[in-house]
């Protein structure tokens, strides 16, 4: 199977957890696109769903598919959120944010009763960090934050889009850092979030309820 086929397989398995009248969080990225299309198919068949998107791109696709979209402040709690990941390990720890939506994705995850991660098999790693960790930072402090990260040995690189800084849906910058040699990810998360101007990190250390991985012989379901 190709990676994209694995993504689609995982997405189709994940939507089986969606029930009528649920509030559903919609993730962002290439894997989540398969899931959003599958949710659209459920809606087309008559399922009543209210969905909260994690990015402008996800909202646009969902509306095109006839999915009812609401803002987070219009609901009390999300029943289930389905999203992708750039990496995950055996402890259900994730790196997310390759698509730049990490802040809204983490907000959705925190406000969700049951979080499902869908991925192709390449995202399953022994140790997080081969994929660079995204940090969402405010433009006003980006230069100083990069200097701090350099001093911490994290090899920061500001994400660009062409010749201009990449901007998130919240109009912030993204700085990608190297954490492969970091062993205590919880301590790193605490240290980074103490820095004024770092809004959020792409470390999702304790939000995931279930991971579904696309595999040649059928989807693998990992439970805590």
């Amino acid at each position: 199977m190709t990676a994209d086929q694995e993504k689609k397989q995982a997405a189709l398995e994940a939507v089986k957890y969606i029930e009528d009248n649920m509030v559903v969080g919609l993730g962002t990225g290439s894997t989540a696109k398969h899931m959003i299309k599958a949710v659209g198919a459920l809606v087309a068949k008559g399922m009543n769903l209210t969905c909260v998107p994690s990015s402008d791109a996800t909202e646009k696709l969902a509306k095109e598919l006839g999915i009812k979209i609401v803002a987070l402040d219009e609901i009390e709690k999300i029943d289930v959120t389905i999203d992708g990941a750039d990496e995950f390990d055996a402890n259900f720890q994730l790196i997310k944010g390759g698509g730049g939506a990490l802040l809204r994705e983490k907000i959705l995850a925190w406000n969700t009763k049951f979080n499902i991660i869908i991925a192709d098999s390449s995202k399953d790693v022994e140790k997080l960090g081969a994929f660079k960790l995204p940090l969402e930072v405010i433009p006003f402090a980006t230069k100083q934050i990069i200097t701090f990260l350099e001093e911490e040995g994290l090899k920061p690189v500001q994400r660009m889009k062409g010749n201009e800084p990449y901007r998130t849906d919240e109009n912030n910058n993204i700085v990608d850092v190297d954490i492969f040699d970091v062993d205590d990810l919880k301590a790193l998360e605490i240290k980074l979030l103490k820095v004024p101007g770092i809004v959020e990190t792409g470390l999702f250390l304790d939000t995931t309820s279930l991971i579904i991985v696309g595999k040649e012989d059928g989807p693998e379901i990992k439970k805590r």
Side-chain angles (χ1 to χ4, degrees):
M1 293 179 74
T2 66
D4 193 61
Q5 287 171 328
E6 291 180 350
K7 292 174 182 180
K8 185 174 182 179
Q9 182 194 79
L12 293 177
E13 184 67 23
V15 298
K16 294 178 182 178
Y17 290 82
I18 297 175
E19 298 176 3
D20 199 29
N21 299 314
M22 273 189 168
V23 177
V24 180
L26 303 177
T28 295
S30 59
T31 311
K33 279 183 181 179
H34 290 296
M35 175 271 300
I36 297 164
K37 291 176 181 178
V39 170
L42 294 177
V43 170
K45 290 177 182 176
M47 189 174 282
N48 178 42
L49 300 175
T50 300
C51 296
V52 183
S54 58
S55 67
D56 293 346
T58 289
E59 179 175 352
K60 181 175 182 292
L61 176 59
K63 285 182 174 178
E64 289 172 357
L65 294 169
I67 298 170
K68 179 185 176 182
I69 292 295
V70 298
L72 183 62
D73 62 6
E74 295 180 59
I75 53 97
E76 290 187 8
K77 202 75 174 176
I78 300 169
D79 294 301
V80 60
T81 289
I82 305 173
D83 203 352
D86 297 301
E87 285 185 343
F88 68 87
D89 66 15
N91 296 316
F92 282 58
Q93 299 180 130
L94 320 172
I95 286 180
K96 289 174 53 55
L102 62 104
L103 176 56
R104 291 191 188 178
E105 287 173 340
K106 191 172 278 191
I107 291 170
L108 257 60
W110 193 81
N111 286 284
T112 296
K113 298 173 186 176
F114 194 77
N115 282 290
I116 301 175
I117 292 297
I118 52 177
D120 64 84
S121 55
S122 72
K123 305 300 193 298
D124 188 353
V125 299
E126 289 187 14
K127 179 179 172 57
L128 297 182
F131 192 93
K132 299 297 185 287
L133 174 68
L135 308 177
E136 183 152 346
V137 305
I138 66 167
F140 178 74
T142 299
K143 180 180 177 181
Q144 284 70 26
I145 289 169
I146 287 174
T147 298
F148 167 78
L149 296 169
E150 286 172 343
E151 292 170 350
E152 291 293 312
L154 296 174
K155 304 173 185 174
V157 176
Q158 183 169 353
R159 191 178 297 183
M160 305 294 288
K161 187 175 183 179
N163 296 320
E164 298 294 326
Y166 174 90
R167 289 296 177 92
T168 69
D169 289 344
E170 299 297 327
N171 206 34
N172 291 319
N173 292 333
I174 295 281
V175 177
D176 295 299
V177 297
D178 185 347
I179 64 163
F180 193 73
D181 293 329
V182 177
D183 292 320
D184 192 338
L185 295 178
K186 289 184 178 179
L188 175 66
E189 172 92 333
I190 291 168
K191 177 184 283 189
L192 291 173
L193 291 177
K194 283 183 177 178
V195 179
I198 295 182
V199 182
E200 193 51 85
T201 84
L203 285 171
F204 286 59
L205 300 179
D206 55 9
T207 58
T208 304
S209 311
L210 188 77
I211 299 175
I212 302 176
V213 189
K215 293 285 183 71
E216 186 72 40
D217 55 355
E220 179 183 1
I221 299 174
K222 298 174 178 284
K223 299 179 180 178
R224 277 191 178 277

